[in-house]
Amino acid sequence: MRIVFMGTPAVAAISLERLLNSEHTVAGVVTQPDRPAGRGQKSIAAPVRKTAEQHGVPVSAPEKVRDPAFLGALGAWAPEIIVVVAYGRILPRSILELAPHGCLNVHYSLLPKYRGAAPVAWAVINGEAKSGVTTMHLVEKMDAGPILLQREIALAADETTASLQAKLAPVGAELLLETLAGIEAGTVKPKEQDDAQATYAPMLKKEDGLVDWHLPARAIERRVRGFNPWPTAYSHFNGQMLKIHRAKVESATSAAPGEIVRADRDGLWVATGEGVLGLVEVQLENRKRVSASEFLNGVRIEKGAHFGAA
RNA sequence: CGCGGGGUGGAGCAGUCUGGUAGCUCGCAAGGCUCAUAACCUUGAGGUCCCGGGUUCAAAUCCCGGCCCCGCAA
C-alpha cells in the first residue's frame, strides 16, 4: 500500500524502519519540527526524521497540522492509508478522512485500557502483569477508535518504562504490518471498543516523579520503575535533589515515612507509609548516578536523617 | 550566546571564599583477633589535585585559555 507515516520518537522510528523494509511504499513522513534541546541550544532532529532522511523519504514537519500548505503536501502524497505512531499531536478530521483507508494507529496498551499519552509508564506504575499493543482506526475521540488487532506481552518483575518500551516497539512494528496485510486482504474486522472498560493514562509531568514517602514501599518501587527513564523518581536530601534510579522493597518498619532507618553496605533504607524502601542506585543533583554504597561513602548520615523536606 | 554544578590516590566525597607539610568514608595489601565472617583492631601501599599558560617567595586553592562530565530548563 501507499503509505504516509506520522510519528516522532524512537519507538515510532522502529515502526517506520520496518515499513521501509516491507513491500509497502512510504510516500512521505510527517514528524515534529526540530526543537532546541540539550544543554546548549542545539536543535535536535526527531528519530523519525533521521530514519526517513537515511532512506531518502520526503519529510514534512509542520508547526501546525492545520497549515494549508502542509495539508496540500499531504494530499499530494496521495496515501491509501496514513499510519500514525506516537506523532504527538491530535489530528483534525481533515487528516483523519484524507486517505481512503483512514488513519491507522499503533497504541502501546491493550485498549480500551490505558488510553492516552503515557500508556506504557502507567502500566508499569500500576503493576500490571501484562500489557501489549493495539492497532486501531483513529477517530476524533482520543484512542477510542475501533480495534483491528491486538497482542499481549507479559511484564517482568523489574520492568521499567524504558525496558517495556523496548519490548513493545518491535511487537508494534510487527503488528502494524499484520494489520496492513489484513486490511488489504479484507480479513481484519474493526471491533468497537467498550467505552465502559476504558481507563486513562495521562501524560506524565515532571512533578509526578517526586516521591511521596507515605505511599507503601512497593508502590514507590513501581513508580521508580515507571518513571524511568522520565521523569525519574526523586526526593530531597540535605536540600538537594536526589534521583532514585533503582530501588527494592523490604517489609518491616517502625519509623516515620522518609526517615532513613539503615545505611550500610547493603544499601540505604528508607521508611515509607508501609514497609521499607531500599535505594539501590541514586543520583544527587549535578552528580553522576552511583550505587547506594558509593553514595554513602561520600555522605555522612546523621541520626534521624530523612528524605522529603527540601 | 538559555541557567547552573563539577573534574582531588581504585570508588564516592571534603578541602578552594580567608594561597603555605593533601584529608574523610570505602576498597586494596600485610599482620592481629575470632569456630567464623562483607565483623573488629593495627600497619601499609597508592595522588601529574583534568590540560596549558599567568600572578606569587609559595597555587588543589587566585587570574586567563582549553578539554571532559553532570543537573535544570526545553
Side-chain angles (χ1 to χ4, degrees):
Chain A
M1 268 199 284
R2 188 173 171 81
I3 296 169
V4 164
F5 183 89
M6 301 181 76
T8 303
V11 256
I14 288 172
S15 282
L16 173 58
E17 186 85 44
R18 190 73 185 76
L19 279 181
L20 289 165
N21 292 324
S22 73
E23 71 279 12
H24 298 287
T25 303
V26 180
V29 167
V30 182
T31 191
Q32 298 282 335
D34 297 359
R35 305 211 188 281
R39 213 158 278 127
Q41 53 175 2
K42 300 154 290 191
S43 215
I44 297 298
V48 162
R49 165 175 231 118
K50 289 183 186 166
T51 301
E53 287 174 347
Q54 278 167 17
H55 289 262
V57 178
V59 176
S60 178
E63 215 40 82
K64 294 177 167 182
V65 286
R66 293 168 189 279
D67 176 23
F70 162 66
L71 291 174
L74 193 58
W77 279 334
E80 292 172 77
I81 191 167
I82 296 174
V83 172
V84 183
V85 184
Y87 173 57
R89 283 264 164 94
I90 305 287
L91 302 180
R93 183 186 291 270
S94 56
I95 292 179
L96 296 181
E97 296 177 347
L98 186 140
H101 285 287
C103 287
L104 173 61
N105 180 233
V106 178
H107 186 79
Y108 296 94
S109 82
L110 298 173
L111 291 172
K113 300 293 183 191
Y114 297 103
R115 290 177 178 174
V120 181
W122 284 105
V124 173
I125 292 166
N126 292 335
E128 295 287 348
K130 65 182 183 184
S131 180
V133 182
T134 303
T135 53
M136 61 161 182
H137 280 304
L138 279 185
V139 296
E140 286 191 287
K141 188 177 177 192
M142 164 90 81
D143 296 327
I147 293 171
L148 296 169
L149 293 178
Q150 200 160 60
R151 180 151 309 157
E152 284 187 13
I153 187 173
L155 300 219
D158 63 345
E159 204 77 74
T160 64
T161 295
S163 68
L164 182 54
Q165 195 91 256
K167 280 186 189 174
L168 254 18
V171 173
E174 216 43 57
L175 198 67
L176 170 60
L177 285 210
E178 281 180 38
T179 305
L180 288 172
I183 288 173
E184 283 185 305
T187 53
V188 297
K189 297 187 172 56
K191 193 175 64 185
E192 290 300 325
Q193 292 188 31
D194 178 359
D195 287 349
Q197 296 295 312
T199 61
Y200 289 88
M203 191 180 306
L204 295 178
K205 298 188 298 290
K206 181 68 193 175
E207 315 84 81
D208 290 330
L210 181 61
V211 171
D212 175 3
W213 294 104
H214 294 279
L215 291 173
R218 61 177 180 285
I220 297 174
E221 191 271 340
R222 288 201 302 254
R223 294 174 81 86
V224 167
R225 289 187 281 117
F227 294 144
N228 170 317
W230 193 89
T232 307
Y234 64 95
S235 189
H236 294 281
F237 181 73
N238 286 344
Q240 288 186 297
M241 181 180 73
L242 183 80
K243 289 186 169 185
I244 301 168
H245 290 106
R246 280 195 293 146
K248 56 188 175 185
V249 179
E250 194 172 81
S251 50
T253 176
S254 59
E259 189 171 324
I260 294 172
V261 295
R262 193 152 61 86
D264 53 33
R265 51 173 39 76
D266 288 332
L268 183 52
W269 303 88
V270 186
T272 68
E274 182 190 331
V276 175
L277 190 74
L279 309 190
V280 176
E281 187 178 38
V282 298
Q283 178 177 29
L284 204 56
E285 64 180 75
N286 298 326
R287 301 287 184 178
K288 293 180 182 178
R289 48 199 290 174
V290 294
S291 68
S293 57
E294 286 174 320
F295 173 71
L296 291 172
N297 276 338
V299 203
R300 213 152 306 282
I301 303 287
E302 315 263 323
K303 251 176 283 181
H306 62 278
F307 285 89

